[in-house]
Amino acid sequence: MRDRDLYAKLLGIEDPWYVRDVDPRLEAGEVEIFISRDERAELPCPVCGAAAGRYDTRTRTWRHLDTMQYKTLLTAEVPRVKCAEHGVKQLKVPWAEPGSRFTAMFEALVIDWLKEASVSAVARMLRMTWDEVDGVMARAVARGLERQQSQPLRNIGIDETSFQKRHEYVTVVYDCDRKHVIDVLDNRRQFDLEEFYFGTPLEHLQSLESVSMDMWGPYVQATLIHVPDAERKIAFDRFHVAKHINDGVNKVRVDEHAELRELGDRTLTGTRYLWLKNPENMTAKSRLRFEALRGSSLRVARAWAMKEAARQLWSYERRGWARRAWKRLIGWMARSRLPPMVKVGRTLRAHLWGIVNAIVLGATNASLEAVNSKIQALKKRACGYRSRARFRSAILFHCGGLELYPSAHLAHTNS
């Protein structure tokens, strides 16, 4: 079999395209494959498919999968056609997406490696520039978003994740049922979330059953404005509520520890995580120490008891029972004479309606918290992102549940 026939079969080149020549430049570490198109074949408009006349021809080159250790290039004379309706357009080629300098198979390889390694690592391994690899990722995400079917939403989660230091954030919107990120918004302002709601069909907003979030005011206000009956759908996530309470317990410990140290009492030294950890997860040694502490007259022991009481209040099924139970806890906090817990109680009282919604609806951001951890791991692996656009692209690439591969590659795989 001649090398031209071999490459034609390997590349899946079919009429009216054919491999005209193969140039192995071994000293340069390259193989260049020249592809032509039968001039007698009809030229269709790439937009409407109607027969069109040849306008001119442009030489195009694409990077393909390596042949052994040799970098492989495809070069073709690609006709441009003149359509009566759409004007001058370049003919599509079956081995690459429009506008790409890489074949569909090569882009699929890059996508596969990007799922396992950072942009910089893939660039080094495949002998590409950082911008070339980033371009493949951006095109993959754009394809995926274009292919994505607009589907009704039932339960969504909204949370912030840090973009850079200095309190810079993006907002992640997550489909809790399909387990993927829907969108990544530029900041955590009310305006940003409103932009998402404006872009969502009204019938999909009407189909929402729960919107899980933390107690961040701008998220609440945007949702109240745009989601029908939002007062019964906004659910303040259990883990964020627990964080508020844990912060209160820790503040009580810090204040009390400072007072005891001034008196030479080291009772609370090294106990921070004992008060925050679930006793069931403690070692036997830690549990023995903790049992003695929580049975003492320490102020932090009283604060911890409130935290434990709150942990038991998430199993109610009836709205009225849940509200009454939380009101009793909030009343306890208010009478505790522990300023941090009094403050937490005020926060819980102001947001009790959304806490009760979370309990009754069974809504939680637990899976979104797991995605948040994955996002932070991606950021660490990439040593940070310089722009929000690239950060958004990376999140959607890895967490968006998108169909990323080029159409030409999918067609070749399914054939």
Side-chain angles (χ1 to χ4, degrees):
M1 182 182 288
R2 294 180 302 175
D3 53 0
R4 286 180 295 174
D5 297 329
L6 173 63
Y7 273 107
K9 287 188 175 296
L10 292 176
L11 293 168
I13 301 296
E14 298 178 347
D15 286 338
W17 299 95
Y18 63 94
V19 175
R20 176 169 50 85
D21 195 13
V22 177
D23 181 14
R25 299 191 291 270
L26 305 187
E27 67 288 347
E30 293 181 350
V31 175
E32 188 167 8
I33 303 162
F34 295 91
I35 300 174
S36 293
R37 193 177 192 280
D38 189 341
E39 293 188 357
R40 297 168 297 179
E42 187 178 79
L43 296 170
C45 170
V47 179
C48 63
R54 182 186 295 265
Y55 183 76
D56 63 10
T57 302
R58 298 290 177 89
T59 303
R60 295 284 184 265
T61 299
W62 297 264
R63 169 94 181 268
H64 188 53
L65 301 175
D66 291 354
T67 301
M68 304 297 187
Q69 71 271 33
Y70 297 102
K71 186 176 181 179
T72 302
L73 305 173
L74 305 189
T75 297
E77 299 291 327
V78 184
R80 290 201 301 170
V81 299
K82 189 171 185 179
C83 174
E85 182 178 352
H86 299 104
V88 177
K89 299 289 180 183
Q90 181 171 284
L91 209 63
K92 292 181 180 177
V93 296
W95 57 83
E97 297 280 291
S100 176
R101 294 163 53 199
F102 305 99
T103 65
M105 287 185 180
F106 190 83
E107 286 211 8
L109 174 68
V110 176
I111 289 168
D112 285 338
W113 274 114
L114 279 171
K115 292 177 180 179
E116 306 295 334
S118 68
V119 172
S120 298
V122 175
R124 287 194 303 272
M125 183 171 54
L126 297 180
R127 295 176 288 174
M128 301 169 68
T129 67
W130 194 98
D131 285 332
E132 286 175 336
V133 178
D134 184 65
V136 172
M137 178 185 283
R139 284 193 296 277
V141 170
R143 271 194 302 271
L145 291 174
E146 189 175 336
R147 292 169 179 164
Q148 196 174 47
Q149 296 290 327
S150 181
Q151 297 176 317
L153 300 172
R154 290 182 57 248
N155 302 288
I156 64 172
I158 301 168
D159 198 9
E160 64 189 29
T161 191
S162 62
F163 162 57
Q164 288 179 341
K165 295 180 181 178
R166 302 181 300 277
H167 303 288
E168 292 198 41
Y169 297 92
V170 297
T171 295
V172 177
V173 185
Y174 184 75
D175 188 323
C176 299
D177 299 306
R178 299 183 181 96
K179 307 295 184 188
H180 63 244
V181 173
I182 306 169
D183 206 350
V184 182
L185 315 177
D186 272 352
N187 212 307
R188 56 173 186 162
R189 301 164 299 188
Q190 180 175 333
F191 165 81
D192 300 300
L193 187 54
E194 287 198 38
E195 285 287 292
F196 167 76
Y197 287 137
F198 275 125
T200 303
L202 178 59
E203 60 269 24
H204 292 181
L205 296 179
Q206 290 172 332
S207 70
L208 279 171
E209 296 175 10
S210 73
V211 183
S212 185
M213 62 178 73
D214 62 16
M215 301 174 189
W216 182 238
Y219 291 165
V220 175
Q221 290 305 312
T223 306
L224 287 172
I225 292 170
H226 292 277
V227 176
D229 198 23
E231 295 86 351
R232 298 181 70 84
K233 296 178 181 179
I234 292 175
F236 294 131
D237 176 59
R238 174 177 184 171
F239 297 94
H240 286 96
V241 173
K243 183 180 183 303
H244 280 282
I245 299 173
N246 280 337
D247 288 346
V249 173
N250 192 51
K251 184 65 169 64
V252 172
R253 180 197 64 83
V254 168
D255 293 345
E256 189 170 17
H257 182 41
E259 293 175 15
L260 291 174
R261 277 194 308 175
E262 287 184 3
L263 300 173
D265 188 336
R266 313 286 293 182
T267 301
L268 290 177
T269 298
T271 66
R272 176 183 179 184
Y273 293 105
L274 292 179
W275 301 106
L276 302 179
K277 201 170 187 178
N278 187 333
E280 297 169 2
N281 299 328
M282 293 179 184
T283 63
K285 182 179 178 181
S286 295
R287 193 178 298 115
L288 281 173
R289 185 185 182 193
F290 182 66
E291 289 296 334
L293 288 170
R294 77 171 187 174
S296 69
S297 60
L298 290 166
R299 297 199 300 272
V300 67
R302 286 196 288 130
W304 178 86
M306 296 173 201
K307 176 179 87 89
E308 281 302 289
R311 201 160 66 90
Q312 309 303 319
L313 301 183
W314 292 91
S315 57
Y316 286 96
E317 296 180 1
R318 294 183 179 276
R319 192 175 291 272
W321 284 103
R323 186 181 292 107
R324 281 190 287 274
W326 276 89
K327 281 185 175 180
R328 283 195 296 271
L329 173 63
I330 292 167
W332 182 13
M333 290 178 173
R335 297 187 301 272
S336 68
R337 291 181 294 175
L338 301 174
M341 301 310 292
V342 172
K343 182 178 178 181
V344 171
R346 291 196 195 103
T347 300
L348 297 182
R349 189 184 300 278
H351 297 88
L352 181 56
W353 58 280
I355 295 173
V356 172
N357 285 343
I359 294 170
V360 175
L361 297 171
T364 174
N365 263 4
S367 52
L368 178 50
E369 289 298 321
V371 169
N372 243 338
S373 298
K374 182 177 181 180
I375 290 170
Q376 292 306 310
L378 290 173
K379 190 173 72 171
K380 184 176 180 181
R381 188 172 75 183
C383 299
Y385 291 88
R386 295 183 181 180
S387 74
R388 280 183 165 83
R390 281 176 169 162
F391 192 34
R392 177 179 187 269
S393 184
I395 294 171
L396 291 173
F397 182 92
H398 291 281
C399 309
L402 301 175
E403 178 52 74
L404 300 167
Y405 294 104
S407 300
H409 171 73
L410 293 175
H412 179 79
T413 303
N414 295 331
S415 62

